Amino acid sequence: MNTCVCFLFLFSLSLFLDCLSSFPLCTDSRQPIKQDTPLKFCSYNGTVCCNSTQDLELQKQFESLNVFDPACAALLKLTTCAICDQFSARLFGIDSGPRKVPVLCNTTDLVKPHQSKVGDSIDFCTKLWDTCGHISIMSSPFAPPMQGRVGMQYSSLPSKLTDQWRSRKDFCEAIGGSEDDLCFKDEPVSFSQEKASPPAGLCLEKIAKGAYINLVPHPDGSNRAFMSNQQGKIWLATIPNEGSNGILWINESEPFLDITDEVLFDTEFGLMGMSFHPNFARNGRFFLSFNCDKMKHPGCSGRCSCNTDVSCDPSKLPADSGVQPCQYHSVVAEFTANGTASETSLATSANPSEVRRIFAMGLPYRGGHAGEILFGPADGFLYLMMGDGSNRDDPYNFAQNKKSLLGKILRLDIDTIPSAMEISGKGLWGNYSIPSDNPFVDVKDVKPEIWALGFRNPWRCSFDSERPSYFLCGDCGQDQYEEVDIVIKGGNYGWRVYEGSIPFQPTKSPGGTTSATSINPIFPVMGYSHSDIDKNVGSAASASITGGYFYRSMTDPCMYKRYLYMDLYADGVWAGTESPENSGNFSTAKMPFKCAHDSPIQCNIVPAGISNATPALGYVYSFAEDNKKDVYILTSSGVYRVARPSRCNFLCAKENAVNSVTHGQRSCSPMSTELFKGHKDVLFFLLSYFVLYTGLYPVNYH
């Protein structure tokens, strides 16, 4: 058991360190900026890591090299400008220490298959050596940093590569760096546009009939999970093994907690989020995000999000379908498991009285307000997703207003309890503290709770269980586009300047506007247009994304590593495939889905749009992931789990290979080479099966 715990810890730590510079980032760890016109000297265009001022500095830096040979000068200019590449954090190896020059593509064998191969430019390091080796360069950035087998000490005097390095091999081994998964040749980094073949489809089994909005695995690592509905009830359920013909065991008559008398339940309101403290097994603390109506629920109170700080007067807002401004509230509250149990993990009920009110905010309209809560797996802080609060147009521009918490993802420290004086002095919205490394913690006139901004209604976010730095959110669009975003510290995701990557013009804007040139938007990595949703299900404007998960189970090995997401109307499942890994470069494919022929609860899934009927899958509320990393789809018609492809007659060549291992066959069927590509996959594969099929779950798996 202890060995398993240590291995899990070290494995998770190695994955976390390995992905510090994942997806497009600049050398200062900030996101690239959108440059409408090409840089004058470096000629980079689009999304880049340099502005015009930096471009001028790079020109001066290049000129100081004092190289007059035109062929060599051309290569040195390209190398100098590589810092403007949107992948410069990877090219300059910021996770292993800063470099003076980018990682140069060394030999054909070292170039990764995702990179374009264009003639002799593949081996850029050799080309640079052959062209510039005998040319004097002033204060050469290629000089070795120290004495040793690779060359001599750095000098500010003119020098030649052949004087400083013993051979091209030594030079390219030091400058090229064969371990990096990106390298520079003679142009901005680009990836092959060839899309990976999507799986044949997604097989589902139905294991429950109830309509639930949350499924959270029990923190003890067992096969139990907490289920909640939108009305305000939570149950403790037992999950059957996949393929066992078992159904989700849940006693509806004995809820773990019932707060229906405190919860406002309506189409977009109710118990929206549920998250358990990382140390729940010891402290029994868990947190709920829900809505209340101050006209009906005692204790439903809080400041109005429409206030003078954001130049909004609630008395001038009209009633929204009979609801007054800030009549409805978003609330996050702390509860605790019943202390009468000998161990918290054995508790079968919770105390319905709040321990404390973490957060409370009055909503300006009846519109989207999100409400999901998650604990960050790497930092232990609570992330709260907040929509812009409106049905259309975000008229007061809350999502871009950094004095407002609407249209944001917030990051809160719920373990450090502030004093009443601190809450008042800092203008906090409840009993929480501000993490010291939040991006705007020391910025004047910006709310320090903000982790990221520019969202319309982030509906269902998740941290990748293999790479904690990958934090993906589905964000609902308005008229044209539904998006999936990789959320990073301080990122601005564009709404309502953009809907997806499409410029957006609100019909009314009493709260003012934000110009496109004043922000550096991060555009979606995946998504779909409203026109992609079958019109027979409803109008195109009715599309609404439900964000999902990176699939990390081996139940369907052909789905492994792909990010799954859907639309509310269950028109299809989208699978996003990242290529290469850690690049932020995704291709997506829409896949069919079926119900397993041996599903414990039979289901006949009707494709959306037939005879204007609602698909038998129902409306898709949420995705979920259990302790075994199996993925679930929670809908209005029940709970569905991703099953083995063969149970739906979907062909997956990897399934037989996986079965030969998991069912203990003596014959060693060769595994797909793709399955074992890279050491991380091998470790993950071996670890998964050790944990899943021996039952040795470590305490506090999360």
Side-chain angles (χ1 to χ4, degrees):
M1 179 73 75
N2 291 337
T3 301
C4 180
V5 173
C6 292
F7 183 49
L8 275 171
F9 173 76
L10 293 173
F11 175 69
S12 300
L13 180 62
S14 69
L15 292 178
F16 176 68
L17 294 175
D18 191 47
C19 63
L20 287 177
S21 57
S22 301
F23 45 85
L25 286 177
C26 302
T27 52
D28 60 0
S29 297
R30 291 284 182 175
Q31 71 273 14
I33 59 175
K34 182 175 175 58
Q35 189 79 16
D36 293 329
T37 57
L39 299 173
K40 290 184 178 180
F41 174 68
C42 287
S43 301
Y44 275 70
N45 196 10
T47 304
V48 296
C49 286
C50 298
N51 56 31
S52 56
T53 302
Q54 293 164 323
D55 182 56
L56 181 59
E57 288 298 318
L58 289 173
Q59 182 176 357
K60 294 178 181 177
Q61 179 181 322
F62 166 75
E63 291 171 350
S64 70
L65 300 177
N66 203 30
V67 173
F68 298 101
D69 180 84
C72 178
L75 296 184
L76 294 180
K77 178 181 177 182
L78 292 172
T79 307
T80 302
C81 289
I83 201 166
C84 295
D85 194 287
Q86 63 174 326
F87 290 93
S88 62
R90 296 290 292 178
L91 289 176
F92 283 79
I94 62 169
D95 53 348
S96 58
R99 301 165 53 100
K100 287 181 176 294
V101 294
V103 176
L104 305 182
C105 292
N106 188 354
T107 66
T108 303
D109 292 336
L110 293 177
V111 176
K112 304 299 179 182
H114 64 265
Q115 292 184 288
S116 303
K117 294 183 171 76
V118 186
D120 294 335
S121 65
I122 297 174
D123 195 350
F124 185 75
C125 192
T126 297
K127 187 175 183 178
L128 183 71
W129 175 270
D130 292 343
T131 306
C132 297
H134 297 281
I135 304 298
S136 292
I137 303 173
M138 183 72 73
S139 300
S140 172
F142 303 102
M146 62 186 71
Q147 283 275 23
R149 71 174 185 87
V150 294
M152 302 186 305
Q153 293 258 10
Y154 169 80
S155 171
S156 61
L157 299 174
S159 57
K160 302 175 183 179
L161 297 181
T162 52
D163 292 336
Q164 295 177 317
W165 301 86
R166 294 179 180 177
S167 67
R168 180 199 65 82
K169 182 176 181 292
D170 283 345
F171 172 70
C172 288
E173 280 185 356
I175 300 297
S178 60
E179 296 277 327
D180 287 72
D181 60 0
L182 290 183
C183 61
F184 182 76
K185 38 192 176 59
D186 57 358
E187 60 184 25
V189 174
S190 61
F191 301 114
S192 170
Q193 296 302 308
E194 181 180 354
K195 295 184 179 180
S197 299
L202 191 70
C203 186
L204 303 174
E205 63 171 347
K206 187 174 183 179
I207 61 172
K209 293 182 178 180
Y212 304 97
I213 196 168
N214 291 293
L215 182 158
V216 179
H218 200 295
D220 68 358
S222 69
N223 65 335
R224 295 182 298 164
F226 292 97
M227 314 284 296
S228 68
N229 65 10
Q230 206 169 333
Q231 289 89 333
K233 287 186 179 182
I234 301 171
W235 295 270
L236 190 54
T238 302
I239 300 173
N241 290 330
E242 188 270 340
S244 67
N245 202 38
I247 63 172
L248 189 75
W249 185 89
I250 185 169
N251 187 348
E252 292 274 0
S253 64
E254 296 184 5
F256 181 78
L257 180 68
D258 183 352
I259 58 167
T260 52
D261 58 347
E262 299 179 45
V263 173
L264 163 67
F265 171 60
D266 203 343
T267 304
E268 293 190 66
F269 296 90
L271 175 54
M272 310 306 283
M274 175 172 61
S275 194
F276 291 77
H277 194 279
N279 292 322
F280 173 80
R282 291 196 294 270
N283 60 33
R285 300 169 66 195
F286 65 99
F287 299 80
L288 302 178
S289 171
F290 59 92
N291 302 112
C292 62
D293 182 346
K294 71 177 183 180
M295 305 297 290
K296 298 179 180 179
H297 303 112
C300 182
S301 62
R303 276 187 291 157
C304 184
S305 55
C306 172
N307 54 51
T308 54
D309 288 346
V310 292
S311 303
C312 180
D313 184 350
S315 67
K316 295 182 179 179
L317 294 182
D320 187 352
S321 301
V323 177
Q324 296 299 317
C326 293
Q327 178 179 331
Y328 290 174
H329 285 64
S330 278
V331 171
V332 178
E334 178 181 342
F335 294 83
T336 185
N338 194 332
T340 60
S342 59
E343 296 181 25
T344 302
S345 61
L346 300 178
T348 57
S349 63
N351 190 331
S353 300
E354 289 184 23
V355 174
R356 59 185 169 128
R357 183 67 57 90
I358 300 295
F359 180 91
M361 173 184 285
L363 300 169
Y365 307 102
R366 281 181 69 110
H369 57 277
E372 185 180 16
I373 49 176
L374 296 170
F375 277 99
D379 56 32
F381 293 124
L382 188 70
Y383 291 75
L384 168 60
M385 286 29 106
M386 292 292 295
D388 66 16
S390 68
N391 286 311
R392 292 190 61 81
D393 287 3
D394 186 12
Y396 277 85
N397 199 27
F398 289 131
Q400 288 298 323
N401 190 331
K402 293 179 181 177
K403 294 181 180 180
S404 171
L405 298 186
L406 292 171
K408 313 294 192 301
I409 290 178
L410 313 180
R411 182 173 180 251
L412 314 175
D413 178 356
I414 49 79
D415 288 326
T416 305
I417 303 175
S419 65
M421 181 177 298
E422 186 178 357
I423 293 173
S424 175
K426 293 185 177 180
L428 304 180
W429 295 76
N431 290 289
Y432 57 85
S433 294
I434 306 297
S436 60
D437 60 340
N438 271 13
F440 305 109
V441 71
D442 294 320
V443 181
K444 185 179 180 181
D445 294 330
V446 179
K447 289 295 183 183
E449 296 92 338
I450 297 172
W451 179 255
L453 67 149
F455 298 95
R456 183 171 180 267
N457 191 28
W459 187 250
R460 292 342 202 192
C461 305
S462 66
F463 290 92
D464 182 7
S465 59
E466 185 175 321
R467 301 170 298 177
S469 69
Y470 266 60
F471 180 25
L472 270 67
C473 283
D475 191 24
C476 301
Q478 178 171 301
D479 298 322
Q480 300 187 66
Y481 196 78
E482 304 293 308
E483 65 186 82
V484 177
D485 300 302
I486 296 178
V487 179
I488 64 173
K489 177 180 180 178
N492 187 330
Y493 293 85
W495 175 256
R496 61 176 193 175
V497 182
Y498 295 92
E499 181 180 359
S501 60
I502 306 166
F504 181 82
Q505 293 294 332
T507 54
K508 295 181 180 180
S509 188
T513 59
T514 299
S515 67
T517 56
S518 67
I519 65 172
N520 298 319
I522 302 175
F523 291 137
V525 294
M526 291 173 277
Y528 54 92
S529 298
H530 285 200
S531 58
D532 294 336
I533 304 299
D534 196 306
K535 303 299 192 300
N536 291 327
V537 178
S539 68
S542 296
S544 181
I545 195 171
T546 300
Y549 284 82
F550 276 102
Y551 190 79
R552 295 300 182 183
S553 168
M554 282 297 174
T555 298
D556 183 347
C558 285
M559 210 62 67
Y560 179 64
K561 293 185 181 181
R562 303 178 194 269
Y563 179 81
L564 304 179
Y565 59 103
M566 295 184 75
D567 189 82
L568 172 70
Y569 293 99
D571 182 55
V573 178
W574 281 268
T577 304
E578 187 183 24
S579 180
E581 279 193 88
N582 302 325
S583 67
N585 185 67
F586 287 83
S587 61
T588 57
K590 189 176 180 181
M591 302 181 305
F593 55 89
K594 295 181 182 178
C595 201
H597 58 79
D598 58 350
S599 175
I601 300 175
Q602 288 302 307
C603 47
N604 182 24
I605 297 176
V606 180
I610 295 180
S611 302
N612 286 329
T614 300
L617 192 63
Y619 298 107
V620 177
Y621 295 153
S622 298
F623 279 79
E625 182 183 63
D626 68 11
N627 281 320
K628 293 182 178 180
K629 305 309 172 192
D630 275 326
V631 168
Y632 300 78
I633 303 172
L634 311 182
T635 80
S636 58
S637 70
V639 178
Y640 299 80
R641 175 169 53 188
V642 177
R644 283 173 285 124
S646 58
R647 295 176 62 191
C648 290
N649 297 322
F650 286 135
L651 179 63
C652 172
K654 298 176 184 177
E655 185 179 354
N656 290 335
V658 169
N659 287 341
S660 70
V661 175
T662 61
H663 295 150
Q665 297 178 6
R666 291 185 180 274
S667 61
C668 298
S669 301
M671 299 297 289
S672 163
T673 56
E674 182 179 350
L675 189 62
F676 282 100
K677 189 194 304 178
H679 67 280
K680 288 195 297 185
D681 292 352
V682 176
L683 286 172
F684 181 73
F685 175 81
L686 295 174
L687 178 61
S688 295
Y689 283 99
F690 177 77
V691 174
L692 298 185
Y693 290 92
T694 63
L696 292 179
Y697 296 102
V699 177
N700 297 328
Y701 179 74
H702 292 284

